[in-house]
Amino acid sequence: DTGVSQDPRHKITKRGQNVTFRCDPISEHNRLYWYRQTLGQGPEFLTYFQNEAQLEKSRLLSDRFSAERPKGSFSTLEIQRTEQGDSAMYLCASSPEQGSGFEQFFGPGTRLTVL
Amino acid sequence: DAKTTQPPSMDCAEGRAANLPCNHSTISGNEYVYWYRQIHSQGPQYIIHGLKNNETNEMASLIITEDRKSSTLILPHATLRDTAVYYCIVDNYGQNFVFGPGTRLSVLP
């Protein structure tokens, strides 16, 4: 399968712990995105990378959140000192830099539960 | 806020065409219309996108009005597996998709 992959698929943690999620985009895609989705809502944009450069961050991305894409390939999203309000599905997507419309292709998501 | 308006829910009989409308009256000239769907607990699935012309692929057809202020996604022969939330998004350069609540399509046997 050459689609976007995310790991882990599920994570349960206790409040105050740190968690890290990984996203592997489609190999030839330069752009990588992170979204968060809570129950009953559409995905909300968090941040966007073009190659290794983080070009945009949402105000939703508080100081406890950090994302990296060190070599322009896979990306990690870390949440420090998790809170119950961080419980959500975290989605990663990738898209090519060139093309007719920059459509994004999503991974299966990581479901985070903070107890 | 999302730049699109969609009905919250729709029903469609299995085997019939499902026509999902989307209003995007403030769309600008360089913004594309994208459609995604999301089946429960899965990541959104890309369906189709277009700029001005109507588009068709193996999944669906996209009809964009001449003034580009609205569009319709057509699933020609809906099946039970098409039951999902369908999102219409407008964006240029794909840098910041803003998802609204979408349309929950229920395909009924």
Side-chain angles (χ1 to χ4, degrees), chain A residues 31 33 35 37 42-43 45 48 56 91 100-104 106-108, chain B residues 32 34 36 38 41-44 46 49 87 93-97 99-100:
Chain A
R31 297 181 171 192
Y33 312 80
Y35 291 81
Q37 185 174 25
F45 170 81
Y48 148 63
E56 191 170 344
L91 293 160
S100 63
F102 310 102
E103 58 271 29
Q104 297 180 22
F106 284 79
Chain B
Y32 287 81
Y34 302 84
Y36 284 78
Q38 190 171 27
S41 295
Q42 298 182 20
Y46 167 77
H49 75 281
Y87 298 101
Y93 307 116
Q95 291 184 16
N96 184 350
F97 279 2
F99 287 79

PDB file of all heavy atoms in Angstrom, chain A residues 31 33 35 37 42-43 45 48 56 91 100-104 106-108, chain B residues 32 34 36 38 41-44 46 49 87 93-97 99-100:
ATOM      1  N   ARG A  31       4.289  18.061   0.192  1.00  0.00           N
ATOM      2  CA  ARG A  31       3.511  18.749   1.227  1.00  0.00           C
ATOM      3  C   ARG A  31       2.919  17.745   2.215  1.00  0.00           C
ATOM      4  O   ARG A  31       2.465  16.669   1.831  1.00  0.00           O
ATOM      5  CB  ARG A  31       2.376  19.538   0.577  1.00  0.00           C
ATOM      6  CG  ARG A  31       2.867  20.630  -0.355  1.00  0.00           C
ATOM      7  CD  ARG A  31       1.711  21.383  -0.935  1.00  0.00           C
ATOM      8  NE  ARG A  31       2.153  22.566  -1.663  1.00  0.00           N
ATOM      9  CZ  ARG A  31       1.346  23.532  -2.072  1.00  0.00           C
ATOM     10  NH1 ARG A  31       0.059  23.447  -1.817  1.00  0.00           N
ATOM     11  NH2 ARG A  31       1.824  24.555  -2.732  1.00  0.00           N
ATOM     12  N   TYR A  33       0.429  17.666   5.900  1.00  0.00           N
ATOM     13  CA  TYR A  33      -0.509  18.428   6.723  1.00  0.00           C
ATOM     14  C   TYR A  33      -0.893  17.604   7.941  1.00  0.00           C
ATOM     15  O   TYR A  33      -1.008  16.376   7.862  1.00  0.00           O
ATOM     16  CB  TYR A  33      -1.794  18.734   5.941  1.00  0.00           C
ATOM     17  CG  TYR A  33      -1.574  19.294   4.554  1.00  0.00           C
ATOM     18  CD1 TYR A  33      -1.254  18.468   3.488  1.00  0.00           C
ATOM     19  CD2 TYR A  33      -1.715  20.660   4.307  1.00  0.00           C
ATOM     20  CE1 TYR A  33      -1.065  18.977   2.212  1.00  0.00           C
ATOM     21  CE2 TYR A  33      -1.540  21.176   3.025  1.00  0.00           C
ATOM     22  CZ  TYR A  33      -1.207  20.331   1.994  1.00  0.00           C
ATOM     23  OH  TYR A  33      -1.023  20.838   0.728  1.00  0.00           O
ATOM     24  N   TYR A  35      -4.101  17.519  10.836  1.00  0.00           N
ATOM     25  CA  TYR A  35      -5.423  17.993  11.213  1.00  0.00           C
ATOM     26  C   TYR A  35      -5.828  17.303  12.512  1.00  0.00           C
ATOM     27  O   TYR A  35      -5.340  16.224  12.850  1.00  0.00           O
ATOM     28  CB  TYR A  35      -6.469  17.616  10.149  1.00  0.00           C
ATOM     29  CG  TYR A  35      -6.341  18.328   8.826  1.00  0.00           C
ATOM     30  CD1 TYR A  35      -5.423  17.910   7.869  1.00  0.00           C
ATOM     31  CD2 TYR A  35      -7.159  19.412   8.516  1.00  0.00           C
ATOM     32  CE1 TYR A  35      -5.323  18.548   6.641  1.00  0.00           C
ATOM     33  CE2 TYR A  35      -7.064  20.054   7.287  1.00  0.00           C
ATOM     34  CZ  TYR A  35      -6.140  19.621   6.363  1.00  0.00           C
ATOM     35  OH  TYR A  35      -6.040  20.256   5.152  1.00  0.00           O
ATOM     36  N   GLN A  37      -9.493  16.119  14.550  1.00  0.00           N
ATOM     37  CA  GLN A  37     -10.939  15.961  14.380  1.00  0.00           C
ATOM     38  C   GLN A  37     -11.561  15.437  15.660  1.00  0.00           C
ATOM     39  O   GLN A  37     -11.179  14.388  16.164  1.00  0.00           O
ATOM     40  CB  GLN A  37     -11.251  15.007  13.226  1.00  0.00           C
ATOM     41  CG  GLN A  37     -12.730  14.898  12.908  1.00  0.00           C
ATOM     42  CD  GLN A  37     -12.999  14.072  11.678  1.00  0.00           C
ATOM     43  OE1 GLN A  37     -12.197  13.216  11.302  1.00  0.00           O
ATOM     44  NE2 GLN A  37     -14.135  14.314  11.011  1.00  0.00           N
ATOM     45  N   GLY A  42     -15.956  18.287  11.478  1.00  0.00           N
ATOM     46  CA  GLY A  42     -15.027  18.068  10.389  1.00  0.00           C
ATOM     47  C   GLY A  42     -13.594  18.257  10.867  1.00  0.00           C
ATOM     48  O   GLY A  42     -13.354  18.841  11.927  1.00  0.00           O
ATOM     49  N   PRO A  43     -12.631  17.767  10.108  1.00  0.00           N
ATOM     50  CA  PRO A  43     -11.227  17.971  10.488  1.00  0.00           C
ATOM     51  C   PRO A  43     -10.874  19.453  10.570  1.00  0.00           C
ATOM     52  O   PRO A  43     -11.366  20.267   9.781  1.00  0.00           O
ATOM     53  CB  PRO A  43     -10.460  17.287   9.350  1.00  0.00           C
ATOM     54  CG  PRO A  43     -11.406  16.297   8.767  1.00  0.00           C
ATOM     55  CD  PRO A  43     -12.761  16.926   8.897  1.00  0.00           C
ATOM     56  N   PHE A  45      -7.601  22.129  10.585  1.00  0.00           N
ATOM     57  CA  PHE A  45      -6.199  22.264  10.197  1.00  0.00           C
ATOM     58  C   PHE A  45      -5.337  22.636  11.396  1.00  0.00           C
ATOM     59  O   PHE A  45      -5.693  23.500  12.195  1.00  0.00           O
ATOM     60  CB  PHE A  45      -6.095  23.353   9.118  1.00  0.00           C
ATOM     61  CG  PHE A  45      -4.694  23.776   8.787  1.00  0.00           C
ATOM     62  CD1 PHE A  45      -3.920  23.014   7.928  1.00  0.00           C
ATOM     63  CD2 PHE A  45      -4.160  24.937   9.318  1.00  0.00           C
ATOM     64  CE1 PHE A  45      -2.635  23.418   7.603  1.00  0.00           C
ATOM     65  CE2 PHE A  45      -2.878  25.344   9.003  1.00  0.00           C
ATOM     66  CZ  PHE A  45      -2.118  24.575   8.145  1.00  0.00           C
ATOM     67  N   TYR A  48       1.185  22.728   8.444  1.00  0.00           N
ATOM     68  CA  TYR A  48       1.496  22.336   7.071  1.00  0.00           C
ATOM     69  C   TYR A  48       2.986  22.495   6.821  1.00  0.00           C
ATOM     70  O   TYR A  48       3.594  23.485   7.241  1.00  0.00           O
ATOM     71  CB  TYR A  48       0.637  23.208   6.155  1.00  0.00           C
ATOM     72  CG  TYR A  48       1.195  23.594   4.814  1.00  0.00           C
ATOM     73  CD1 TYR A  48       1.491  22.623   3.860  1.00  0.00           C
ATOM     74  CD2 TYR A  48       1.386  24.931   4.493  1.00  0.00           C
ATOM     75  CE1 TYR A  48       1.974  22.995   2.617  1.00  0.00           C
ATOM     76  CE2 TYR A  48       1.876  25.300   3.254  1.00  0.00           C
ATOM     77  CZ  TYR A  48       2.166  24.343   2.318  1.00  0.00           C
ATOM     78  OH  TYR A  48       2.648  24.703   1.093  1.00  0.00           O
ATOM     79  N   GLU A  56       2.996  26.961   7.876  1.00  0.00           N
ATOM     80  CA  GLU A  56       1.798  27.542   8.469  1.00  0.00           C
ATOM     81  C   GLU A  56       1.396  26.749   9.702  1.00  0.00           C
ATOM     82  O   GLU A  56       1.501  25.527   9.725  1.00  0.00           O
ATOM     83  CB  GLU A  56       0.653  27.550   7.459  1.00  0.00           C
ATOM     84  CG  GLU A  56      -0.554  28.358   7.894  1.00  0.00           C
ATOM     85  CD  GLU A  56      -1.581  28.543   6.779  1.00  0.00           C
ATOM     86  OE1 GLU A  56      -1.235  28.309   5.609  1.00  0.00           O
ATOM     87  OE2 GLU A  56      -2.715  28.926   7.091  1.00  0.00           O
ATOM     88  N   LEU A  91      -5.183  13.498  12.189  1.00  0.00           N
ATOM     89  CA  LEU A  91      -5.096  13.060  10.808  1.00  0.00           C
ATOM     90  C   LEU A  91      -3.905  13.705  10.117  1.00  0.00           C
ATOM     91  O   LEU A  91      -3.606  14.875  10.332  1.00  0.00           O
ATOM     92  CB  LEU A  91      -6.366  13.453  10.048  1.00  0.00           C
ATOM     93  CG  LEU A  91      -7.653  12.761  10.473  1.00  0.00           C
ATOM     94  CD1 LEU A  91      -8.864  13.562  10.029  1.00  0.00           C
ATOM     95  CD2 LEU A  91      -7.713  11.360   9.906  1.00  0.00           C
ATOM     96  N   SER A 100      -2.597  19.648 -10.773  1.00  0.00           N
ATOM     97  CA  SER A 100      -3.813  20.392 -11.065  1.00  0.00           C
ATOM     98  C   SER A 100      -4.724  20.409  -9.852  1.00  0.00           C
ATOM     99  O   SER A 100      -5.742  19.740  -9.850  1.00  0.00           O
ATOM    100  CB  SER A 100      -4.520  19.758 -12.253  1.00  0.00           C
ATOM    101  OG  SER A 100      -4.907  18.434 -11.930  1.00  0.00           O
ATOM    102  N   GLY A 101      -4.365  21.144  -8.809  1.00  0.00           N
ATOM    103  CA  GLY A 101      -5.307  21.309  -7.723  1.00  0.00           C
ATOM    104  C   GLY A 101      -4.823  20.895  -6.354  1.00  0.00           C
ATOM    105  O   GLY A 101      -5.518  21.121  -5.384  1.00  0.00           O
ATOM    106  N   PHE A 102      -3.639  20.282  -6.245  1.00  0.00           N
ATOM    107  CA  PHE A 102      -3.042  20.023  -4.934  1.00  0.00           C
ATOM    108  C   PHE A 102      -3.964  19.242  -4.015  1.00  0.00           C
ATOM    109  O   PHE A 102      -4.065  19.523  -2.814  1.00  0.00           O
ATOM    110  CB  PHE A 102      -2.662  21.349  -4.255  1.00  0.00           C
ATOM    111  CG  PHE A 102      -1.857  22.253  -5.141  1.00  0.00           C
ATOM    112  CD1 PHE A 102      -2.451  23.329  -5.778  1.00  0.00           C
ATOM    113  CD2 PHE A 102      -0.515  22.023  -5.344  1.00  0.00           C
ATOM    114  CE1 PHE A 102      -1.724  24.163  -6.609  1.00  0.00           C
ATOM    115  CE2 PHE A 102       0.229  22.854  -6.166  1.00  0.00           C
ATOM    116  CZ  PHE A 102      -0.380  23.923  -6.802  1.00  0.00           C
ATOM    117  N   GLU A 103      -4.656  18.256  -4.555  1.00  0.00           N
ATOM    118  CA  GLU A 103      -5.555  17.481  -3.702  1.00  0.00           C
ATOM    119  C   GLU A 103      -4.766  16.758  -2.625  1.00  0.00           C
ATOM    120  O   GLU A 103      -3.652  16.278  -2.869  1.00  0.00           O
ATOM    121  CB  GLU A 103      -6.380  16.480  -4.534  1.00  0.00           C
ATOM    122  CG  GLU A 103      -5.593  15.491  -5.347  1.00  0.00           C
ATOM    123  CD  GLU A 103      -5.248  15.981  -6.732  1.00  0.00           C
ATOM    124  OE1 GLU A 103      -5.107  17.210  -6.927  1.00  0.00           O
ATOM    125  OE2 GLU A 103      -5.122  15.135  -7.637  1.00  0.00           O
ATOM    126  N   GLN A 104      -5.349  16.699  -1.434  1.00  0.00           N
ATOM    127  CA  GLN A 104      -4.703  16.080  -0.295  1.00  0.00           C
ATOM    128  C   GLN A 104      -5.213  14.660  -0.117  1.00  0.00           C
ATOM    129  O   GLN A 104      -6.407  14.393  -0.270  1.00  0.00           O
ATOM    130  CB  GLN A 104      -4.987  16.888   0.980  1.00  0.00           C
ATOM    131  CG  GLN A 104      -4.416  18.297   0.934  1.00  0.00           C
ATOM    132  CD  GLN A 104      -4.693  19.077   2.193  1.00  0.00           C
ATOM    133  OE1 GLN A 104      -4.946  18.513   3.257  1.00  0.00           O
ATOM    134  NE2 GLN A 104      -4.622  20.405   2.101  1.00  0.00           N
ATOM    135  N   PHE A 106      -5.400  11.581   2.629  1.00  0.00           N
ATOM    136  CA  PHE A 106      -5.365  11.426   4.079  1.00  0.00           C
ATOM    137  C   PHE A 106      -4.971  10.020   4.492  1.00  0.00           C
ATOM    138  O   PHE A 106      -5.290   9.037   3.815  1.00  0.00           O
ATOM    139  CB  PHE A 106      -6.737  11.747   4.678  1.00  0.00           C
ATOM    140  CG  PHE A 106      -7.037  13.216   4.737  1.00  0.00           C
ATOM    141  CD1 PHE A 106      -7.458  13.901   3.610  1.00  0.00           C
ATOM    142  CD2 PHE A 106      -6.885  13.925   5.921  1.00  0.00           C
ATOM    143  CE1 PHE A 106      -7.726  15.259   3.656  1.00  0.00           C
ATOM    144  CE2 PHE A 106      -7.158  15.278   5.976  1.00  0.00           C
ATOM    145  CZ  PHE A 106      -7.573  15.948   4.838  1.00  0.00           C
ATOM    146  N   GLY A 107      -4.325   9.960   5.652  1.00  0.00           N
ATOM    147  CA  GLY A 107      -4.070   8.687   6.294  1.00  0.00           C
ATOM    148  C   GLY A 107      -5.252   8.250   7.134  1.00  0.00           C
ATOM    149  O   GLY A 107      -6.261   8.954   7.214  1.00  0.00           O
ATOM    150  N   PRO A 108      -5.122   7.099   7.798  1.00  0.00           N
ATOM    151  CA  PRO A 108      -6.242   6.557   8.585  1.00  0.00           C
ATOM    152  C   PRO A 108      -6.451   7.253   9.920  1.00  0.00           C
ATOM    153  O   PRO A 108      -7.485   7.079  10.546  1.00  0.00           O
ATOM    154  CB  PRO A 108      -5.841   5.103   8.799  1.00  0.00           C
ATOM    155  CG  PRO A 108      -4.349   5.120   8.761  1.00  0.00           C
ATOM    156  CD  PRO A 108      -3.977   6.176   7.767  1.00  0.00           C
TER     157      PRO A 108
ATOM    158  N   TYR B  32     -10.255  26.163  -6.195  1.00  0.00           N
ATOM    159  CA  TYR B  32     -10.817  24.912  -6.662  1.00  0.00           C
ATOM    160  C   TYR B  32     -11.957  24.475  -5.727  1.00  0.00           C
ATOM    161  O   TYR B  32     -11.997  24.858  -4.554  1.00  0.00           O
ATOM    162  CB  TYR B  32      -9.755  23.814  -6.655  1.00  0.00           C
ATOM    163  CG  TYR B  32      -8.707  23.935  -7.735  1.00  0.00           C
ATOM    164  CD1 TYR B  32      -7.619  24.799  -7.588  1.00  0.00           C
ATOM    165  CD2 TYR B  32      -8.785  23.173  -8.892  1.00  0.00           C
ATOM    166  CE1 TYR B  32      -6.642  24.898  -8.572  1.00  0.00           C
ATOM    167  CE2 TYR B  32      -7.825  23.262  -9.875  1.00  0.00           C
ATOM    168  CZ  TYR B  32      -6.759  24.121  -9.716  1.00  0.00           C
ATOM    169  OH  TYR B  32      -5.787  24.216 -10.691  1.00  0.00           O
ATOM    170  N   TYR B  34     -13.273  21.053  -4.029  1.00  0.00           N
ATOM    171  CA  TYR B  34     -12.859  19.688  -3.704  1.00  0.00           C
ATOM    172  C   TYR B  34     -14.016  18.975  -2.989  1.00  0.00           C
ATOM    173  O   TYR B  34     -14.728  19.580  -2.190  1.00  0.00           O
ATOM    174  CB  TYR B  34     -11.670  19.676  -2.739  1.00  0.00           C
ATOM    175  CG  TYR B  34     -10.430  20.385  -3.210  1.00  0.00           C
ATOM    176  CD1 TYR B  34     -10.296  21.760  -3.053  1.00  0.00           C
ATOM    177  CD2 TYR B  34      -9.377  19.677  -3.773  1.00  0.00           C
ATOM    178  CE1 TYR B  34      -9.145  22.417  -3.464  1.00  0.00           C
ATOM    179  CE2 TYR B  34      -8.219  20.323  -4.181  1.00  0.00           C
ATOM    180  CZ  TYR B  34      -8.117  21.688  -4.025  1.00  0.00           C
ATOM    181  OH  TYR B  34      -6.980  22.334  -4.425  1.00  0.00           O
ATOM    182  N   TYR B  36     -14.612  15.479  -0.596  1.00  0.00           N
ATOM    183  CA  TYR B  36     -14.080  14.358   0.167  1.00  0.00           C
ATOM    184  C   TYR B  36     -15.249  13.660   0.838  1.00  0.00           C
ATOM    185  O   TYR B  36     -16.317  14.244   1.043  1.00  0.00           O
ATOM    186  CB  TYR B  36     -13.112  14.839   1.252  1.00  0.00           C
ATOM    187  CG  TYR B  36     -11.758  15.242   0.741  1.00  0.00           C
ATOM    188  CD1 TYR B  36     -11.572  16.464   0.123  1.00  0.00           C
ATOM    189  CD2 TYR B  36     -10.667  14.391   0.870  1.00  0.00           C
ATOM    190  CE1 TYR B  36     -10.325  16.842  -0.369  1.00  0.00           C
ATOM    191  CE2 TYR B  36      -9.412  14.750   0.390  1.00  0.00           C
ATOM    192  CZ  TYR B  36      -9.259  15.975  -0.224  1.00  0.00           C
ATOM    193  OH  TYR B  36      -8.018  16.329  -0.703  1.00  0.00           O
ATOM    194  N   GLN B  38     -16.019  10.808   4.272  1.00  0.00           N
ATOM    195  CA  GLN B  38     -15.437  10.177   5.437  1.00  0.00           C
ATOM    196  C   GLN B  38     -16.405   9.139   5.964  1.00  0.00           C
ATOM    197  O   GLN B  38     -17.519   9.475   6.382  1.00  0.00           O
ATOM    198  CB  GLN B  38     -15.091  11.202   6.515  1.00  0.00           C
ATOM    199  CG  GLN B  38     -14.268  10.631   7.649  1.00  0.00           C
ATOM    200  CD  GLN B  38     -13.760  11.706   8.574  1.00  0.00           C
ATOM    201  OE1 GLN B  38     -14.356  12.772   8.704  1.00  0.00           O
ATOM    202  NE2 GLN B  38     -12.647  11.434   9.245  1.00  0.00           N
ATOM    203  N   SER B  41     -14.940   6.637  11.405  1.00  0.00           N
ATOM    204  CA  SER B  41     -13.667   6.245  12.022  1.00  0.00           C
ATOM    205  C   SER B  41     -12.522   6.065  11.027  1.00  0.00           C
ATOM    206  O   SER B  41     -11.491   5.508  11.388  1.00  0.00           O
ATOM    207  CB  SER B  41     -13.818   4.963  12.841  1.00  0.00           C
ATOM    208  OG  SER B  41     -14.676   5.189  13.920  1.00  0.00           O
ATOM    209  N   GLN B  42     -12.705   6.495   9.792  1.00  0.00           N
ATOM    210  CA  GLN B  42     -11.617   6.444   8.822  1.00  0.00           C
ATOM    211  C   GLN B  42     -11.180   7.856   8.454  1.00  0.00           C
ATOM    212  O   GLN B  42     -11.900   8.824   8.714  1.00  0.00           O
ATOM    213  CB  GLN B  42     -12.051   5.690   7.565  1.00  0.00           C
ATOM    214  CG  GLN B  42     -12.430   4.241   7.808  1.00  0.00           C
ATOM    215  CD  GLN B  42     -12.809   3.532   6.530  1.00  0.00           C
ATOM    216  OE1 GLN B  42     -12.467   3.960   5.432  1.00  0.00           O
ATOM    217  NE2 GLN B  42     -13.530   2.428   6.652  1.00  0.00           N
ATOM    218  N   GLY B  43     -10.017   8.000   7.836  1.00  0.00           N
ATOM    219  CA  GLY B  43      -9.589   9.289   7.332  1.00  0.00           C
ATOM    220  C   GLY B  43     -10.420   9.705   6.128  1.00  0.00           C
ATOM    221  O   GLY B  43     -10.985   8.858   5.429  1.00  0.00           O
ATOM    222  N   PRO B  44     -10.518  11.010   5.865  1.00  0.00           N
ATOM    223  CA  PRO B  44     -11.266  11.462   4.682  1.00  0.00           C
ATOM    224  C   PRO B  44     -10.672  10.879   3.393  1.00  0.00           C
ATOM    225  O   PRO B  44      -9.457  10.753   3.263  1.00  0.00           O
ATOM    226  CB  PRO B  44     -11.098  12.985   4.726  1.00  0.00           C
ATOM    227  CG  PRO B  44     -10.841  13.297   6.164  1.00  0.00           C
ATOM    228  CD  PRO B  44     -10.048  12.131   6.672  1.00  0.00           C
ATOM    229  N   TYR B  46     -10.393  11.299  -0.692  1.00  0.00           N
ATOM    230  CA  TYR B  46     -10.535  12.219  -1.823  1.00  0.00           C
ATOM    231  C   TYR B  46     -11.483  11.615  -2.858  1.00  0.00           C
ATOM    232  O   TYR B  46     -11.402  10.414  -3.170  1.00  0.00           O
ATOM    233  CB  TYR B  46      -9.169  12.473  -2.455  1.00  0.00           C
ATOM    234  CG  TYR B  46      -9.218  13.145  -3.805  1.00  0.00           C
ATOM    235  CD1 TYR B  46      -9.452  14.506  -3.921  1.00  0.00           C
ATOM    236  CD2 TYR B  46      -9.051  12.397  -4.970  1.00  0.00           C
ATOM    237  CE1 TYR B  46      -9.506  15.116  -5.168  1.00  0.00           C
ATOM    238  CE2 TYR B  46      -9.102  13.008  -6.214  1.00  0.00           C
ATOM    239  CZ  TYR B  46      -9.330  14.360  -6.308  1.00  0.00           C
ATOM    240  OH  TYR B  46      -9.383  14.956  -7.534  1.00  0.00           O
ATOM    241  N   HIS B  49     -12.123  16.849  -7.736  1.00  0.00           N
ATOM    242  CA  HIS B  49     -12.025  18.296  -7.603  1.00  0.00           C
ATOM    243  C   HIS B  49     -12.146  18.931  -8.983  1.00  0.00           C
ATOM    244  O   HIS B  49     -11.955  18.253 -10.010  1.00  0.00           O
ATOM    245  CB  HIS B  49     -10.725  18.727  -6.920  1.00  0.00           C
ATOM    246  CG  HIS B  49      -9.496  18.625  -7.787  1.00  0.00           C
ATOM    247  ND1 HIS B  49      -8.856  17.426  -8.019  1.00  0.00           N
ATOM    248  CD2 HIS B  49      -8.808  19.559  -8.460  1.00  0.00           C
ATOM    249  CE1 HIS B  49      -7.811  17.628  -8.801  1.00  0.00           C
ATOM    250  NE2 HIS B  49      -7.755  18.908  -9.096  1.00  0.00           N
ATOM    251  N   TYR B  87     -17.889  16.063   2.353  1.00  0.00           N
ATOM    252  CA  TYR B  87     -17.422  17.420   2.583  1.00  0.00           C
ATOM    253  C   TYR B  87     -17.120  18.105   1.252  1.00  0.00           C
ATOM    254  O   TYR B  87     -16.444  17.525   0.394  1.00  0.00           O
ATOM    255  CB  TYR B  87     -16.138  17.437   3.412  1.00  0.00           C
ATOM    256  CG  TYR B  87     -16.251  16.865   4.801  1.00  0.00           C
ATOM    257  CD1 TYR B  87     -15.809  15.576   5.083  1.00  0.00           C
ATOM    258  CD2 TYR B  87     -16.780  17.623   5.846  1.00  0.00           C
ATOM    259  CE1 TYR B  87     -15.883  15.052   6.358  1.00  0.00           C
ATOM    260  CE2 TYR B  87     -16.866  17.101   7.126  1.00  0.00           C
ATOM    261  CZ  TYR B  87     -16.412  15.823   7.378  1.00  0.00           C
ATOM    262  OH  TYR B  87     -16.493  15.314   8.648  1.00  0.00           O
ATOM    263  N   TYR B  93      -4.533  26.438  -4.035  1.00  0.00           N
ATOM    264  CA  TYR B  93      -3.211  25.887  -3.752  1.00  0.00           C
ATOM    265  C   TYR B  93      -3.201  24.837  -2.644  1.00  0.00           C
ATOM    266  O   TYR B  93      -2.152  24.386  -2.233  1.00  0.00           O
ATOM    267  CB  TYR B  93      -2.196  26.998  -3.413  1.00  0.00           C
ATOM    268  CG  TYR B  93      -2.155  28.071  -4.448  1.00  0.00           C
ATOM    269  CD1 TYR B  93      -2.532  29.368  -4.147  1.00  0.00           C
ATOM    270  CD2 TYR B  93      -1.769  27.792  -5.755  1.00  0.00           C
ATOM    271  CE1 TYR B  93      -2.518  30.360  -5.109  1.00  0.00           C
ATOM    272  CE2 TYR B  93      -1.749  28.783  -6.722  1.00  0.00           C
ATOM    273  CZ  TYR B  93      -2.126  30.065  -6.386  1.00  0.00           C
ATOM    274  OH  TYR B  93      -2.115  31.048  -7.342  1.00  0.00           O
ATOM    275  N   GLY B  94      -4.363  24.469  -2.127  1.00  0.00           N
ATOM    276  CA  GLY B  94      -4.451  23.354  -1.191  1.00  0.00           C
ATOM    277  C   GLY B  94      -3.666  23.508   0.087  1.00  0.00           C
ATOM    278  O   GLY B  94      -3.214  22.521   0.668  1.00  0.00           O
ATOM    279  N   GLN B  95      -3.467  24.739   0.564  1.00  0.00           N
ATOM    280  CA  GLN B  95      -2.606  24.906   1.734  1.00  0.00           C
ATOM    281  C   GLN B  95      -3.357  24.838   3.047  1.00  0.00           C
ATOM    282  O   GLN B  95      -2.771  24.600   4.086  1.00  0.00           O
ATOM    283  CB  GLN B  95      -1.870  26.249   1.637  1.00  0.00           C
ATOM    284  CG  GLN B  95      -0.831  26.277   0.541  1.00  0.00           C
ATOM    285  CD  GLN B  95      -0.051  27.574   0.530  1.00  0.00           C
ATOM    286  OE1 GLN B  95      -0.072  28.324   1.471  1.00  0.00           O
ATOM    287  NE2 GLN B  95       0.645  27.822  -0.561  1.00  0.00           N
ATOM    288  N   ASN B  96      -4.625  25.084   3.030  1.00  0.00           N
ATOM    289  CA  ASN B  96      -5.358  25.158   4.291  1.00  0.00           C
ATOM    290  C   ASN B  96      -6.801  24.813   4.046  1.00  0.00           C
ATOM    291  O   ASN B  96      -7.628  25.691   3.868  1.00  0.00           O
ATOM    292  CB  ASN B  96      -5.223  26.561   4.877  1.00  0.00           C
ATOM    293  CG  ASN B  96      -5.872  26.676   6.244  1.00  0.00           C
ATOM    294  OD1 ASN B  96      -6.575  25.774   6.687  1.00  0.00           O
ATOM    295  ND2 ASN B  96      -5.654  27.782   6.906  1.00  0.00           N
ATOM    296  N   PHE B  97      -7.094  23.516   4.019  1.00  0.00           N
ATOM    297  CA  PHE B  97      -8.469  23.091   3.829  1.00  0.00           C
ATOM    298  C   PHE B  97      -9.283  23.414   5.075  1.00  0.00           C
ATOM    299  O   PHE B  97      -8.883  23.075   6.183  1.00  0.00           O
ATOM    300  CB  PHE B  97      -8.532  21.589   3.579  1.00  0.00           C
ATOM    301  CG  PHE B  97      -8.225  21.185   2.162  1.00  0.00           C
ATOM    302  CD1 PHE B  97      -7.885  22.105   1.187  1.00  0.00           C
ATOM    303  CD2 PHE B  97      -8.287  19.848   1.800  1.00  0.00           C
ATOM    304  CE1 PHE B  97      -7.608  21.721  -0.109  1.00  0.00           C
ATOM    305  CE2 PHE B  97      -8.026  19.449   0.502  1.00  0.00           C
ATOM    306  CZ  PHE B  97      -7.680  20.383  -0.454  1.00  0.00           C
ATOM    307  N   PHE B  99     -12.735  22.480   6.624  1.00  0.00           N
ATOM    308  CA  PHE B  99     -13.857  21.555   6.525  1.00  0.00           C
ATOM    309  C   PHE B  99     -15.040  22.116   7.298  1.00  0.00           C
ATOM    310  O   PHE B  99     -14.902  22.529   8.447  1.00  0.00           O
ATOM    311  CB  PHE B  99     -13.493  20.196   7.132  1.00  0.00           C
ATOM    312  CG  PHE B  99     -12.553  19.362   6.313  1.00  0.00           C
ATOM    313  CD1 PHE B  99     -11.189  19.621   6.310  1.00  0.00           C
ATOM    314  CD2 PHE B  99     -13.026  18.295   5.567  1.00  0.00           C
ATOM    315  CE1 PHE B  99     -10.317  18.848   5.571  1.00  0.00           C
ATOM    316  CE2 PHE B  99     -12.156  17.513   4.821  1.00  0.00           C
ATOM    317  CZ  PHE B  99     -10.802  17.790   4.826  1.00  0.00           C
ATOM    318  N   GLY B 100     -16.201  22.101   6.710  1.00  0.00           N
ATOM    319  CA  GLY B 100     -17.437  22.387   7.434  1.00  0.00           C
ATOM    320  C   GLY B 100     -17.976  21.091   8.023  1.00  0.00           C
ATOM    321  O   GLY B 100     -17.277  20.089   8.067  1.00  0.00           O
TER     322      GLY B 100
END
